[in-house]
Amino acid sequence: MVFENSDATGGDPTALALKILVAGGFGVGKTTLVGAVSEIRPLRTEELLSEAGQSVDDIGGVGQKITTTVAMDFGRITIRSGLSLYLFGTPGQDRFWFLWDELSTGALGAVVLADTRRLEDCFPAVDYFEHRRIPFVVAVNRFPDARAYEAQDVSRALDLDDGTPVVLCDARDRDSGKEVLIRLVEHAGRVYTARLLESVG
């Protein structure tokens, strides 16, 4: 989604605002990343975890988590003059995946957050974006108690297509999160340019 009107871009009619998704498994840090990088107060739709959800929500490995996103997170960051990103954090639980189709409409690309302690949790997001040909990067959120892996090791473990970037990050750190978003915009630009050249070739 590209916004080109002054209402969406702070008064500059030549500025662009691009829609980016932040996806991944339950408890991987999506809400944290959006909140860390957003220059506005982020919109959050978090609710307390309840006993009613215990039978359908897998909270293995994230036992300290007490809330969950039930619709989306929303934030905004200016990458440079004339370019802003509108961030939409997706819910991580299976029962909310029906929202992904609506959230992904018009998205330039996506960040798939990964936790190496529960790497399998990001497979659904990887499959989703690959099948819909939405460019994405995998951002490995470095939790303090997680074993360290190199980017190429994660890429092999997820069987990513050649050229899909894997970056290491700290979802709590603004500069780290901003670097992930810059890598995504650069990657998406290359992907869409290559597709355009193929279509006219």
Side-chain angles (χ1 to χ4, degrees), residues 65-110:
K65 187 172 174 61
I66 61 171
T67 61
T68 185
T69 298
V70 296
M72 67 173 185
D73 299 311
F74 174 78
R76 185 189 72 211
I77 179 174
T78 300
I79 296 296
R80 58 171 171 75
S81 178
L83 176 60
S84 297
L85 304 182
Y86 283 22
L87 309 175
F88 292 80
T90 66
Q93 295 155 280
D94 300 7
R95 58 193 169 112
F96 295 123
W97 281 351
F98 68 92
L99 295 170
W100 285 34
D101 287 338
E102 188 69 28
L103 289 174
S104 65
T105 300
L108 174 79

Side-chain angles (χ1 to χ4, degrees), residues 39-58:
E39 62 198 17
I40 62 172
R41 183 177 179 180
L43 168 68
R44 293 175 173 157
T45 58
E46 289 195 306
E47 294 291 342
L48 290 172
L49 291 170
S50 66
E51 291 184 8
Q54 289 180 355
S55 62
V56 292
D57 297 331
D58 180 8

Side-chain angles (χ1 to χ4, degrees), residues 76-195:
R76 185 189 72 211
I77 179 174
T78 300
I79 296 296
R80 58 171 171 75
S81 178
L83 176 60
S84 297
L85 304 182
Y86 283 22
L87 309 175
F88 292 80
T90 66
Q93 295 155 280
D94 300 7
R95 58 193 169 112
F96 295 123
W97 281 351
F98 68 92
L99 295 170
W100 285 34
D101 287 338
E102 188 69 28
L103 289 174
S104 65
T105 300
L108 174 79
V111 173
V112 176
L113 271 177
D115 178 351
T116 57
R117 300 169 303 178
R118 300 176 291 119
L119 198 57
E120 66 279 3
D121 288 358
C122 69
F123 273 113
V126 169
D127 290 343
Y128 183 92
F129 297 122
E130 283 183 344
H131 289 146
R132 287 159 182 78
R133 303 186 73 217
I134 297 174
F136 68 94
V137 301
V138 173
V140 179
N141 192 8
R142 293 177 290 191
F143 288 88
D145 59 341
R147 180 179 171 185
Y149 291 91
E150 297 296 326
Q152 58 267 28
D153 296 327
V154 175
S155 181
R156 283 194 297 269
L158 294 176
D159 194 26
L160 298 176
D161 293 338
D162 289 341
T164 300
V166 175
V167 295
L168 307 179
C169 76
D170 182 341
R172 303 166 298 179
D173 182 77
R174 177 179 170 82
D175 289 338
S176 181
K178 186 174 180 179
E179 182 60 32
V180 170
L181 297 172
I182 290 172
R183 289 286 301 275
L184 171 61
V185 171
E186 292 172 345
H187 173 60
R190 290 191 296 269
V191 169
Y192 287 120
T193 297
R195 290 177 186 173

Side-chain angles (χ1 to χ4, degrees), residues 18-30:
L18 306 174
K19 182 179 182 181
I20 300 295
L21 298 186
V22 179
F26 178 57
V28 77
K30 301 179 294 295

